Amino acid sequence: MQCGWKNNEPQMTARWTRKDLLGLRDLSADEINFVLETADAFKQVGTREIKKVPALRGKTLVNFFVEPSTRTRTSFELAAFRLSADVINISATASSLTKGETLKDTARNLEALHADILVLRHSSAGAPQFLADRLKASVINAGDGAHEHPTQALLDLYTIRERRGKIAGLRVAIIGDILFSRVARSNIFGLLKLGAQVTLVGPSTLVPREFEKLGVEVSYKIDDVLPKADVVNLLRIQHERQRREYFPGLGEYIRLFGLTKERAKHLKPDCLIMHPGPINRGVEIDSDVADGLQSVILDQVTNGLAVRMAVLYLCGGIAT
Amino acid sequence: MNQVKQNPPAAVPVMDAEAIRRALRRIAHEIIERNPQLEKVVLAGIPSRGVELARRIAGFIREIGKIDIETGVIDVAMHRDDVGTRPELPMVRASKLPLPLEERTVIIVDDVFYTGRTVRAAMDAINSFGRPARVQLAVLIDRGHRELPIRPDYIGKNLPTASREQIQVRLQETDKAADAVWLEKQ
């Protein structure tokens, strides 16, 4: 923190000093706001005649996705292109991980190629931290196990702030598979730090009362929560992972927790409907609701690009 | 925190509020003289003091030339050539320029003109919005020590300095302290 007339930026007190973005749990409210403000500036680059700035020219970014992902990876890739960085994509099947190479050895090889920024998605919680502690390169967590997905939460925060002008005091309901969701965790940390009230909703098997220790409310009755919510964030039911033991079936899930057309009528008229994607139309959200006026699902995608540009610029732009 | 608004030791006053006012007013006169098509001029300030200086110059032009000219903000952070060399990064702000820029004269406004690298970055930033007819440069202080072949079109005050000296500018609107320029000897 700096203050005083010798400061070159008298209005802004915070400075960015981190090389890595591992999660929102570590960040202060000031740092989160710093990223959101920076994203504002980068969002505007998309409206210029030349949608590209030289900020990371000459830097090499490695998109290392051990778990499959299309939208997060392409969002990071486009963000890197707009910052003039060079990008290499490595997926789990294409990498030597399938040949038994350890994560550390893979990382050392990436470093030997002089990669400056490593964007990592991994099925194990803590993998980005492990590499950040060992590499000179900036490490950006693009989702690690059920731990954190910081850029998703930042783009959710950005979208809420853009639409509602603030975050403090808003009631945010996060609905669905909370237990296995890194998106939920990062959102909880970010929303609480910025002063929102958070309610988690879902089957008790997927939303244990344990979560109340973080400072959120837990509810098993979606119909009590919806009329009071300013934001509804629906998480994808990961039915492909066959978590049959956690709830009896999709039909019952839809009946108890799905945002149906009927339920959506009870939302406040200015309540925002969010979803990190990909949507299961007709499961956690009805098709008409996903495409309705209250839905900001596509804004989230657009804002994701600006937020990731900001994160890459900040973490990749400082001296390491 | 407790040093706020105190003058540093060994600081020599260079301009007071009245001197700054006169310098900006003279720059406004020169801009009017040199740009017969004033309605095509955009004053683009570099944050944060350049933005305030552009606003003030536009005020003098309104008073003298009876014309409202447009102002804008040109952020240079994304276009700097020293990314990756600093241990901490300042805030990046959105640029705001009236579009399209074609056939317009963009006058970059900054407080202190030193190496020329900031202005080079500003010219790059402007080009990403379009191709103005011409780009000019107005600065409150030219302190010398150029590292690039760039020179200002409008100068409030020429102030030869040693490279280890520092120029401190403060403006009421951006620094919450009375307008002043100081030369600080290290």
Side-chain angles (χ1 to χ4, degrees), chain A residues 13-316:
Chain A
T13 52
R15 288 283 189 280
W16 186 264
T17 56
R18 288 176 185 271
K19 86 169 173 75
D20 309 304
L21 178 68
L22 304 175
L24 292 199
R25 189 178 211 161
D26 309 331
L27 298 192
S28 67
D30 273 356
E31 285 176 307
I32 294 172
N33 281 320
F34 196 95
V35 178
L36 301 182
E37 301 252 332
T38 307
D40 265 341
F42 282 106
K43 183 164 185 181
Q44 187 243 17
V45 172
T47 66
R48 296 188 188 181
E49 200 168 291
I50 297 171
K51 296 172 185 52
K52 189 164 177 150
V53 294
L56 296 183
R57 188 168 58 193
K59 300 255 182 191
T60 303
L61 178 143
V62 176
N63 252 333
F64 190 30
F65 279 64
V66 179
E67 259 190 357
S69 154
T70 308
R71 77 184 57 212
T72 305
R73 185 182 58 73
T74 48
S75 180
F76 270 111
E77 193 171 351
L78 187 53
F81 286 153
R82 292 211 168 157
L83 294 169
S84 307
D86 297 308
V87 180
I88 312 168
N89 287 305
I90 300 176
S91 61
T93 45
S95 80
S96 298
L97 284 180
T98 50
K99 299 176 191 163
E101 189 177 63
T102 64
L103 180 61
K104 192 177 170 188
D105 280 330
T106 307
R108 286 162 58 103
N109 278 282
L110 296 174
E111 189 151 70
L113 294 170
H114 301 293
D116 301 291
I117 304 169
L118 176 63
V119 177
L120 180 70
R121 159 139 329 165
H122 203 279
S123 52
S124 297
Q129 176 82 59
F130 177 86
L131 290 181
D133 292 344
R134 284 161 181 79
L135 296 179
K136 191 164 164 284
S138 293
V139 177
I140 313 292
N141 182 3
D144 59 334
H147 179 225
E148 284 227 43
H149 191 352
T151 57
Q152 177 68 44
L154 287 167
L155 74 88
D156 291 342
L157 294 169
Y158 184 94
T159 305
I160 297 169
R161 200 188 66 143
E162 180 177 67
R163 285 301 188 107
R164 301 300 299 260
K166 56 162 191 177
I167 287 168
L170 294 181
R171 288 172 174 272
V172 180
I174 305 177
I175 300 170
D177 177 354
I178 311 289
L179 187 59
F180 294 98
S181 174
R182 53 194 174 213
V183 175
R185 253 175 211 73
S186 290
N187 259 285
I188 291 167
F189 295 133
L191 287 164
L192 292 179
K193 280 172 203 259
L194 298 190
Q197 287 178 273
V198 180
T199 306
L200 308 178
V201 186
S204 57
T205 46
L206 293 175
V207 190
R209 290 250 173 231
E210 268 322 271
F211 277 98
E212 288 175 347
K213 288 182 185 162
L214 294 175
V216 300
E217 287 175 38
V218 168
S219 171
Y220 303 118
K221 292 181 180 154
I222 190 171
D223 295 308
D224 292 353
V225 175
L226 290 182
K228 289 184 267 177
D230 297 304
V231 177
V232 172
N233 198 349
L234 299 153
L235 302 183
R236 196 170 67 92
I237 288 301
Q238 307 188 27
H239 54 79
E240 76 277 11
R241 297 196 182 177
Q242 300 283 326
R243 292 205 180 101
R244 288 290 148 98
E245 63 272 34
Y246 289 98
F247 58 95
L250 286 181
E252 180 166 322
Y253 184 86
I254 295 165
R255 194 168 55 77
L256 292 173
F257 299 105
L259 186 59
T260 58
K261 235 157 105 177
E262 199 49 47
R263 281 208 172 97
K265 287 178 189 158
H266 301 292
L267 291 170
K268 291 190 201 172
D270 58 352
C271 178
L272 304 178
I273 298 172
M274 307 178 76
H275 193 300
I279 312 174
N280 295 316
R281 286 177 184 267
V283 182
E284 63 265 0
I285 184 165
D286 260 8
S287 215
D288 291 351
V289 181
D291 300 330
L293 288 173
Q294 286 175 272
S295 165
V296 292
I297 296 171
L298 291 177
D299 293 15
Q300 288 174 271
V301 178
T302 306
N303 293 337
L305 184 57
V307 163
R308 291 186 175 110
M309 284 174 79
V311 168
L312 294 179
Y313 168 79
L314 291 172
C315 292

Side-chain angles (χ1 to χ4, degrees), chain A residues 5 9-10 16 44 48 50 317 319, chain B residues 6 8 84 86 89 95 128 168:
Chain A
W5 72 279
E9 304 273 355
W16 186 264
Q44 187 243 17
R48 296 188 188 181
I50 297 171
Chain B
Q6 282 177 7
R86 290 172 292 169
L89 292 179
S95 296
S128 74
Q168 302 290 352

Side-chain angles (χ1 to χ4, degrees), chain A residues 1-12 14-18 33-35 37-38 40-42 44-45 47-57 59 313-320, chain B residues 1 3-8 47-49 75 77-79 83-96 99 102 124-125 127-131 166 168-170 173-176 182 184:
Chain A
M1 292 296 182
Q2 284 186 325
C3 188
W5 72 279
K6 288 175 77 173
N7 190 342
N8 288 327
E9 304 273 355
Q11 315 274 316
M12 193 66 218
R15 288 283 189 280
W16 186 264
T17 56
R18 288 176 185 271
N33 281 320
F34 196 95
V35 178
E37 301 252 332
T38 307
D40 265 341
F42 282 106
Q44 187 243 17
V45 172
T47 66
R48 296 188 188 181
E49 200 168 291
I50 297 171
K51 296 172 185 52
K52 189 164 177 150
V53 294
L56 296 183
R57 188 168 58 193
K59 300 255 182 191
Y313 168 79
L314 291 172
C315 292
I318 66 166
T320 52
Chain B
M1 290 291 224
Q3 287 187 356
V4 181
K5 289 160 197 164
Q6 282 177 7
N7 302 328
S48 51
R49 295 192 191 88
D75 193 276
M78 301 173 198
H79 296 268
V83 171
T85 64
R86 290 172 292 169
E88 51 178 44
L89 292 179
M91 178 60 68
V92 187
R93 287 152 211 276
S95 296
K96 295 187 200 87
L99 299 178
E102 277 64 19
D124 264 9
N127 283 339
S128 74
F129 285 90
R131 185 177 182 277
Q166 285 198 335
Q168 302 290 352
V169 177
R170 64 189 190 199
E173 289 76 0
T174 53
D175 305 87
K176 311 288 173 242
W182 299 81
E184 194 181 318

Side-chain angles (χ1 to χ4, degrees), chain B residues 113-171:
Chain B
F113 188 47
Y114 187 24
T115 62
R117 288 178 192 268
T118 302
V119 173
R120 185 210 56 79
M123 290 193 285
D124 264 9
I126 290 166
N127 283 339
S128 74
F129 285 90
R131 185 177 182 277
R134 59 190 69 77
V135 177
Q136 300 173 350
L137 173 61
V139 297
L140 180 61
I141 305 282
D142 181 353
R143 65 165 293 189
H145 303 281
R146 215 74 68 236
E147 293 170 3
L148 294 170
I150 298 172
R151 89 187 145 66
D153 301 274
Y154 313 98
I155 303 170
K157 186 176 181 63
N158 274 300
L159 190 64
T161 57
S163 48
R164 60 177 191 285
E165 291 171 325
Q166 285 198 335
I167 303 286
Q168 302 290 352
V169 177
R170 64 189 190 199
L171 300 173

